[in-house]
Amino acid sequence: HLLGAAVHAVRPGGMLCVTCTDMRVLAGGQPDVCYARYGGLPSRAPFSKEAALRIVLACLQGHASPLGRVVEPAACLSIDFYLRLFVRVRADRR
């Protein structure tokens, strides 16, 4: 999975920019594909873009946890037909 490889490649304390251009999938148009790619179920509601951002953040954190890292969102944007997330990857302090 590309998101897992991206999280793995970032040093602890580094920034990662993720762009998702499949808003049709993330906004509820294809829930089965969204679950297969991101592990979340989208909603077709007025807040579907925010839900899409949260699905991608949860997917990133799911890839970071086994590596002993956490993902902290710095900025998350929904612009036209795509999402852009800027996250800081830190070492988990547990």
Side-chain angles (χ1 to χ4, degrees), residues 13-28:
M15 292 287 290
L16 177 65
C17 176
V18 177
T19 302
C20 299
T21 58
D22 53 351
M23 278 301 292
R24 180 172 180 210
V25 171
L26 286 164

Side-chain angles (χ1 to χ4, degrees), residues 25-76:
V25 171
L26 286 164
Q30 297 174 320
D32 52 337
V33 177
C34 184
Y35 187 78
R37 288 184 188 168
Y38 300 100
L41 292 175
S43 67
R44 297 190 84 156
F47 54 84
S48 63
K49 289 185 178 183
E50 180 181 351
L53 288 168
R54 291 174 183 262
I55 288 170
V56 177
L57 281 172
C59 182
L60 285 169
Q61 184 57 51
H63 288 291
S65 291
L67 301 172
R69 298 179 182 179
V70 293
V71 174
E72 296 176 353
C76 299

Side-chain angles (χ1 to χ4, degrees), residues 68-70 72 90-94:
R69 298 179 182 179
V70 293
E72 296 176 353
R90 297 194 188 273
D92 194 2
R93 296 189 181 183
R94 286 191 229 171

